[in-house]
Amino acid sequence: MTDPATDPRTDTPPGAPADHRWPTGVVGLGYGGDYNPEQWPLETQLEDVELMQQAGVNLVSVAIFAWATIEPREGEYHFDWLDDVLDRLHAAGIRVALATATASPPPWLTARHPEILPRLADGTVLWQGGRQAYSVTHPVFRRYATAMAARIAERYADHPALALWHIDNEIGCHVPRDYSDAAAAAFRDWLRARYGTVDALNDAWGTAFWSQRYGDVADVLPPFTAPTYPNPTQQLDFDRFSSDAMLDYYRDLRDAVRQHTPHVPVTTNFMTSTSTKGMDYFGWAREVDVVATDHYTVAADEEREVELALSADLTRGVARGRPWILMEHSTSAVNWQPRNRPKAPGEMLRNSLAHVARGADSVMFFQWRQSVAGAEKYHSAMVPHAGTDSEVWRGTLGLGRALEALAEVRGSRVRADVALVFDYEAWWAVELDSHPSVDVTYVDRMRAYHRELWRRGVTVDVVEPGADLTGYRLVLVPTLYLVRDEHAAAITRAAEDGATVVVTYFSGIVDEHDHVRPGGYPGAFRELLGVRTEEFAPLLAGEQVALDDGTSVSVWTEKVHLAGATAVRTLASGPLAGTPALTRRTVGSGAAWYEAARLDDVALSRLVDALLGETRVQPAAAAPPGVEVVRRHGEQHSYLFVLNHTDAEHRVPADGTDLLTGTTHQGEVPVPAWGAVVVREG
Ligand code: GLA
């Protein structure tokens, strides 16, 4: 057994905490992608390694979908090809994130054990033939998967290329909620552990309603498709259980590989973004040695660089500020959106550097070489169908050079004065059915505030409820519908200690069991905000109500009364004319604002100006519209990332050396249209 602290293969940056784990032997920033050599003849595999060296690739994920190649028939193992692949990569100095090969069970397994197949809420079986056709809770699948992970770990424990374990792949990507019999049984066990008695479960679920009282936990089912809304707390608990069950599966595989390789860090690729809500990644992050995530922009999203920034900030939050791995993104088009537009010139480089700017110390892709067969043959890769005479390949080479030039950035940290409180449970709960308005979604306000701050060059930390808020000057609490008492108290304390806190409508409404906090909304934040709402008044689709300054609101208003707060904006028309839409209360040395109605973009922009004015929070640099600025802080230098998302050259005030070109600038730095600079300061 090797001690990770003294293992020469563990390349830890200066100043990193003692338990910092990173793919062993990766020097500088990690660069590479998923590598699926089992799809290619030897000749191509030989070329792969040469091209990887040309591009500066130093880390690849191998064997993610290799189970059926390794074990084509039960008990018949073919490892020779994988031995050769790892040997070749090692000889070329390329480190390997080795997968457990469990992400897609081979056909013989599901044919022989159809009971391991997952089910949808209406009972539909998800058959073999795609991927991820397994139920994480099924003991038979667990046995086979853990055995495969252990077998691979045993075989490659001492392989010199092994840098990191990559457990399964995007666990929960296709089947975040499984309603199979195995899942139902595991759900009941989870409930027994959570509640102890059936009475406690009945209380938590409010089963006096609609004759739902259980006499025995054995009668509980997952929230199947029912004649009408299934019990909301049952649904919420099923969300919690499902996240825990998938994590439990991860843990089993992790422990199986750790047993053989305690010196090798372990991760699994998360999907931290504003569209994946199935897994509570704040909890999951406690179980990985290093946070890794996959992120794909949506071509039809005109603000995709802003969504990317928020997702990257969320990943840094999930990683609790430590460097993380971008395990997958795309060089150009994907294959799974309705219209798969390629990336625009410079977009791949800007996307990559935006992740690095926000804390990624590795940039990787799905995938190394574009497949010619299978469902992902139209998904871009680092080596495209067109071969090396292509923009995509030149982009791959260019990014390799850029990351090499940025090697010293590794280990530096992002700092922010603004915290945005984010909670997966609140996301699950607020989007349950039978609510006041279908137009209230979890990410809407979060994206809106983050966007306003992104436009102003202000960096935001995304933090979990209950996080230490000390030092943040501005704390944003968007749509925290479900909140625990202690978490609401921490937010209140932040205001008392001098922060400006902003809470948006439909926050603080229910406790952890999804029971309303009575006595006037928003129960948990009523006192902090100095307001009391007697009734919600959501608006109809497309309806707008004017405010007293000529701006407007849509989606949401409420009959809110002042109870210590001051009205900053009021509704100017409609049945609630004169009712506050935005309020402020001074709290100790801080303040608490309440967005009681959904402000339009102009009103929100004015609010954010006021918030930055009162908190004196500064941007990373004064940048023109469309130019993204973020700073990382190292032990000796800081690094200003400037990403120009516009078609014109711009200048940004900065002093120092652009690491990408080696040019030193004084006073201001030119940033080419669609380009990027990274300035080493100080
Ligand atoms: C996910 C998966 C990959 C691949 C990509 C395509 O991220 O992990 O295997 O399917 O999507 O975008």
Side-chain angles (χ1 to χ4, degrees), residues 582-606:
L582 176 66
T583 68
R584 183 182 183 282
R585 177 178 165 241
T586 302
V587 185
S589 51
W593 293 71
Y594 183 46
E595 185 189 352
R598 186 179 182 279
L599 302 179
D600 68 16
D601 289 350
V602 177
L604 187 65
S605 176
R606 288 179 189 171

Side-chain angles (χ1 to χ4, degrees), residues 34 65 131 169-170 269 294 296 328 336 366 376 379:
D34 284 14
F65 297 103
R131 63 174 176 187
N169 189 64
E170 288 194 346
N269 43 346
D294 300 345
Y296 290 90
E328 287 180 25
W336 44 263
F366 176 83
E376 295 186 317
H379 192 296

Side-chain angles (χ1 to χ4, degrees), residues 47-48 51 331 367-371 380-388 390 392-393 396:
E47 188 196 49
D48 283 336
L51 292 177
T331 56
Q367 62 176 330
W368 163 251
R369 188 185 279 273
Q370 188 167 12
S371 302
S380 61
M382 298 169 80
V383 183
H385 286 160
T388 51
S390 61
V392 166
W393 174 249
T396 300

